[in-house]
Amino acid sequence: MVPGFAVKIIRKPTRAVICRDLTIGAGHPIAVQSMCATHTQDIPATLNQIALLQDHGADVVRVAVDSRKDVDALGVIRTKTNARLVVDLQEGYQLIERVAPFVDGIRYNPGHLHHHEKETPVREKVSRIVASARQHSCALRIGINFGSLDPATKGEGGDRFGSALRSAREHVGYMEELGFSNYVVSLKSSDPNDVIDINRLFSDEFPFVPLHLGVTEAGMLPMGEIKTRVAFENLLAQGIGDTIRVSLTLPFDRKFEEILVGRKIVEDVYAGRFRSVPRFEHSGINIISCPSCSRVENLQFVELAEKVRDLTKYAEKENVTIAVMGCRVNGPGESDDADLGLWCAPKHVNFKRKGELLGTFSYEEILPRFLSELDAIIAEHRAAFGENLEAGKAGTPNDPSTLGG
Ligand code: SF4
C-alpha cells in the first residue's frame, strides 16, 4: 500500500438526492449500502439481516420484491425496522404503487422494463414509476447493469458498454422531461475497468446526477474486494461517486462484510492510502460471481461458487473467465460473455461455454462436467502454444471422482 497522506478530493457538484433523512450527493458523505440476501418473505431472517447490516453501519438497506407476497412481507418488515429501505424492482415494476408507500427509495432496472406489457412504451412505464416515487417522496435509482441490458439499446456485436451508456442517456432524459430530480444513476459491470470508464464518461456528460458506484458480481474475497477497490479508488479519488455498494459473494450471515469493506475503501481513499494500480490488469482465472440476494434460486449457490473457486486453483494462471450466478436476472447476460458460465435454477444449473448452452445439470453433476470443460479450454490454450496440459496440472489434483454437489 502507498503510505498514507490526507488528500483533498473535490467532489463533483451533483444535485442532492433525498432518501428520507439521508442526503446523497451535493458533497454529502458517501453513503454505504448493501442488500439483503434472505428471502423477503422470510420476515424474521430478513429483519435479522437488516439489523446486522445496520449494526455494521449500513446507511441504506435494499430488499428485493418480485411478487405480491413479497410486498405483503415488505409491509410487515416496514413496521418492524427503522432502516432506510430501498426496494429493488427488476421485472416487477408493476408492483410500484404497492411498494412505494413502504420504502425510502426504489431501484428499477431499465433492462427489465421490456418483459411485461410489451405494447406499453418504456417512457410510460417510467412515468408510472416516477409518479409513485413523487407521491411517496422516494428517491429513485436508475440501475443499469451490463448483465441485463435493454435489448432495444444493444448495438452491433453485443457492445455492452455502448448499450449501457445509451440506456443511461435515455432514462436520464425521461427523468428530466418528467421534471423529477430526486434520482441517482448506477452503471455497473463485473469488469472494474468498464466501471471506471463508463462512470467517468457519464459524470462528464451529466455532472449534476449523483452516482451510485458498484462493481457487480465482483465475486468472492479476496478478488471481489480487489476488483471493487480498483474501481472505487479511481473514481472516488476524482470526486466521482456519492453512494457505494460492494457486491461480494458471502454466506448470508457475513453479508455485513460488504459494509465494512466499503467503508474501509472510502476511508483509505480519503486518507490517501491507495492499494490498486490505475487499471485492473488481471491475468489468470477471473471468477465473476454475484453477491446473491433474495432471488437466488437455490441456497447451494454460495457453496457452488466457493467450490468453483477452490477447484480451479490448479488453473489459476490460465486466462479463463468463469461466471457463477444466482438466478436468471443477470445469469444469462453474464454467462453469455464468460468462457464458462453457470447460472442457478431451483433444481439445476444451466451451463454455457462461450454463450452456448451445453445443458442443464443437477447440483451433484455440474462440477465434474464443469472441470472437464475447463480442462478442454486449457488444452486448447496449450495446444495453441504447443504445451502439454498434463505437465501444467502436475501436482494439482483434479480427480472428478472426489467431486460432489
Ligand atoms: S444474479 Fe444474483 S444478485 Fe442478481 S438478482 Fe440473481 S441472485 Fe440476486
Side-chain angles (χ1 to χ4, degrees):
M1 184 187 293
V2 178
F5 58 94
V7 288
K8 176 118 183 87
I9 293 172
I10 300 170
R11 298 271 300 279
K12 297 289 174 190
T14 61
R15 289 172 179 156
V17 165
I18 309 299
C19 182
R20 201 171 76 201
D21 56 339
L22 177 75
T23 304
I24 296 170
H28 285 78
I30 291 162
V32 181
Q33 42 184 297
S34 180
M35 181 169 181
C36 288
T38 48
H39 283 291
T40 306
Q41 288 171 48
D42 186 344
I43 295 171
T46 302
L47 282 169
N48 271 341
Q49 189 146 89
I50 291 170
L52 200 62
L53 294 171
Q54 261 191 307
D55 289 349
H56 287 84
D59 293 309
V60 174
V61 178
R62 186 154 42 115
V63 179
V65 167
D66 294 315
S67 66
R68 295 236 181 136
K69 284 189 176 164
D70 286 344
V71 178
D72 294 342
L74 180 69
V76 178
I77 289 165
R78 175 72 291 171
T79 63
K80 294 181 187 296
T81 176
N82 65 358
R84 296 181 196 98
L85 294 178
V86 168
V87 76
D88 189 67
L89 291 178
Q90 296 279 354
E91 296 171 20
Y93 67 89
Q94 303 107 313
L95 297 168
I96 183 69
E97 291 84 1
R98 294 172 192 272
V99 297
F102 299 131
V103 291
D104 308 297
I106 295 150
R107 179 268 172 124
Y108 78 91
N109 180 347
H112 280 150
L113 292 184
H114 56 92
H115 297 291
H116 302 290
E117 300 173 336
K118 292 184 197 294
E119 295 73 35
T120 308
V122 169
R123 189 188 183 286
E124 256 180 58
K125 294 174 183 174
V126 174
S127 163
R128 185 172 155 187
I129 293 170
V130 166
S132 283
R134 215 192 288 269
Q135 185 183 353
H136 297 282
S137 305
C138 295
L140 281 182
R141 169 157 68 101
I142 302 169
I144 294 164
N145 190 313
F146 278 44
S148 49
L149 291 162
D150 180 350
T153 62
K154 281 196 181 148
E156 295 289 309
D159 163 27
R160 297 206 291 178
F161 194 100
S163 170
L165 206 51
R166 282 190 284 280
S167 195
R169 287 186 184 124
E170 177 188 340
H171 285 263
V172 166
Y174 294 142
M175 294 293 147
E176 299 300 316
E177 272 171 49
L178 291 163
F180 187 81
S181 59
N182 203 38
Y183 71 96
V184 305
V185 167
S186 63
L187 292 140
K188 298 192 186 183
S189 162
S190 54
D191 180 335
N193 296 327
D194 280 343
V195 172
I196 296 166
D197 293 343
I198 201 161
N199 279 282
R200 270 192 197 142
L201 280 175
F202 180 88
S203 177
D204 283 348
E205 195 170 334
F206 302 102
F208 53 90
V209 178
L211 277 162
H212 163 129
L213 303 183
V215 176
T216 192
E217 293 103 31
M220 289 157 281
L221 291 168
M223 193 50 84
E225 178 177 349
I226 294 167
K227 289 179 187 172
T228 307
R229 255 187 191 277
V230 170
F232 287 9
E233 287 184 355
N234 271 275
L235 292 165
L236 292 176
Q238 293 175 55
I240 298 171
D242 302 282
T243 177
I244 59 168
R245 192 255 169 126
V246 178
S247 299
L248 297 173
T249 309
L250 288 164
F252 288 1
D253 56 353
R254 289 178 51 201
K255 285 308 274 181
F256 64 86
E257 291 179 31
E258 293 188 344
I259 300 293
L260 303 184
V261 170
R263 291 224 174 273
K264 183 79 179 100
I265 296 174
V266 174
E267 197 185 298
D268 283 345
V269 169
Y270 276 80
R273 295 188 295 263
F274 294 92
R275 299 191 197 202
S276 61
V277 289
R279 301 290 298 183
F280 184 64
E281 301 296 354
H282 176 73
S283 65
I285 286 259
N286 179 26
I287 300 178
I288 294 162
S289 62
C290 80
S292 80
C293 70
S294 72
R295 299 184 179 97
V296 73
E297 300 272 25
N298 188 304
L299 294 182
Q300 290 183 58
F301 161 71
V302 175
E303 200 185 329
L304 178 68
E306 288 172 344
K307 281 186 176 167
V308 166
R309 175 192 59 194
D310 296 343
L311 291 168
T312 53
K313 286 213 161 76
Y314 76 94
E316 64 191 359
K317 295 200 174 126
E318 304 295 334
N319 286 325
V320 179
T321 297
I322 299 164
V324 191
M325 303 294 293
C327 82
R328 69 196 174 99
V329 168
N330 292 322
E334 288 296 347
S335 50
D336 275 354
D337 272 28
D339 294 301
L340 292 173
L342 301 99
W343 58 275
C344 297
K347 298 214 166 102
H348 65 262
V349 181
N350 300 282
F351 185 30
K352 287 183 177 175
R353 178 172 168 175
K354 294 258 180 218
E356 187 188 327
L357 187 66
L358 298 177
T360 58
F361 299 86
S362 71
Y363 282 79
E364 287 72 36
E365 293 164 339
I366 185 63
L367 287 169
R369 179 61 203 271
F370 163 77
L371 286 171
S372 73
E373 287 299 329
L374 177 59
D375 283 350
I377 288 178
I378 297 170
E380 285 167 18
H381 289 181
R382 298 267 163 90
F385 290 97
E387 295 175 41
N388 180 295
L389 174 60
E390 288 311 312
K393 281 171 68 179
T396 50
N398 175 19
D399 175 0
S401 67
T402 63
L403 307 173

